[in-house]
Amino acid sequence: MTAADLSNGFFARHLAAIPVIGIFRGQDPATTVELCRRAWDFGVTLVEIPVQSESALPSLEAAVEAARAHGKQVGAGTVTTARRLRQVQDIGAAFTVAPGLHPEVVEASAQARLPHLPGVATATDIANATATGLTWLKAFPAEQLGTGWITAHRAPFPDVHFVATGGIGAHNAAGFLSAGCAAVAVGSALADPAALPRLREAVSPVRRETPSYTAGPRSPLS
């Protein structure tokens, strides 16, 4: 199995039942773990802890440790350099996420056999990502891009599975899923008990076909 196949298959499996990734940024380790537990209780299987600075690494470490006890998967977000990728790999991150398409990180993730979700915001980004074999991509910043961007890019890239990220909550998750996103990344809605029923309603109906995964051409990074 190529590195890209491993990555695509990972996100397809873990986002099939509940199409939500939890994102918890900028919290201390104890709060991060509490938010992770809320997400897991909701049914979320993938949680991302952004590590935009060294100060966020202890929160990632605490979340990874808690995830092991719950049989869940915690990944690292905002991974923009190979050095940071090696750091989060040593901590035990199960996957990595980036705000953009960073070739150095894509290659390092492939070499480490870590599933990677790169960010895209243009057709060129999408084409460059799929050229490496990656078909699960983070549409970022989703709120600014809008649901129309998703629909427009699904047409020329029908094999791509978008994870809408940035400004997504209970108020607009359903719209992005209906536009063709395979999943959404949510933070504050999972932290707010009052928003959970609306979020459940938004993601529970079958608003899109569950994306199937078929291995594509061999990735040049494998």
Side-chain angles (χ1 to χ4, degrees), residues 1-12:
M1 177 183 290
T2 70
D5 291 341
L6 180 149
S7 182
N8 296 332
F10 175 87
F11 292 110

Side-chain angles (χ1 to χ4, degrees), residues 4 17 19 33 36-38 57 69 77 90 92 103 113 120-121 123 129 132 140 151-152 170 172 178 210 216:
V33 170
C36 287
R37 287 176 176 152
R38 290 187 191 181
L57 294 176
D90 289 344
R113 306 294 287 181
V120 295
T132 72
F140 178 79
T151 303
N172 60 359
S178 296
T210 300

Side-chain angles (χ1 to χ4, degrees), residues 39-209:
W40 296 330
D41 288 344
F42 184 82
V44 169
T45 59
L46 297 184
V47 170
E48 171 195 341
I49 309 301
V51 288
Q52 65 277 3
S53 68
E54 296 278 339
S55 64
L57 294 176
S59 292
L60 172 64
E61 189 170 6
V64 167
E65 184 176 349
R68 291 194 184 105
H70 288 77
K72 303 297 183 182
Q73 305 279 354
V74 167
T78 321
V79 177
T80 58
T81 66
R83 175 179 176 275
R84 183 55 49 82
L85 185 137
R86 288 190 292 269
Q87 286 181 309
V88 302
Q89 182 184 20
D90 289 344
I91 288 172
F95 62 96
T96 56
V97 184
L101 183 63
H102 306 272
E104 174 189 13
V105 177
V106 172
E107 183 173 2
S109 293
Q111 291 175 350
R113 306 294 287 181
L114 272 180
H116 183 58
L117 187 70
V120 295
T122 67
T124 300
D125 289 342
I126 299 169
N128 288 337
T130 57
T132 72
L134 296 172
T135 58
W136 278 77
L137 308 175
K138 167 181 169 176
F140 178 79
E143 186 176 33
Q144 285 72 28
L145 293 174
T147 56
W149 185 95
I150 301 296
T151 303
H153 286 84
R154 283 281 295 156
F157 299 104
D159 296 329
V160 166
H161 308 297
F162 290 116
V163 179
T165 307
I168 305 300
H171 65 293
N172 60 359
F176 277 91
L177 292 172
S178 296
C181 284
V184 293
V186 175
S188 59
L190 287 168
D192 179 6
L196 289 179
R198 290 178 58 203
L199 182 61
R200 176 75 66 187
E201 182 180 1
V203 303
S204 292
V206 181
R207 297 179 181 277
R208 84 277 185 260
E209 294 182 3

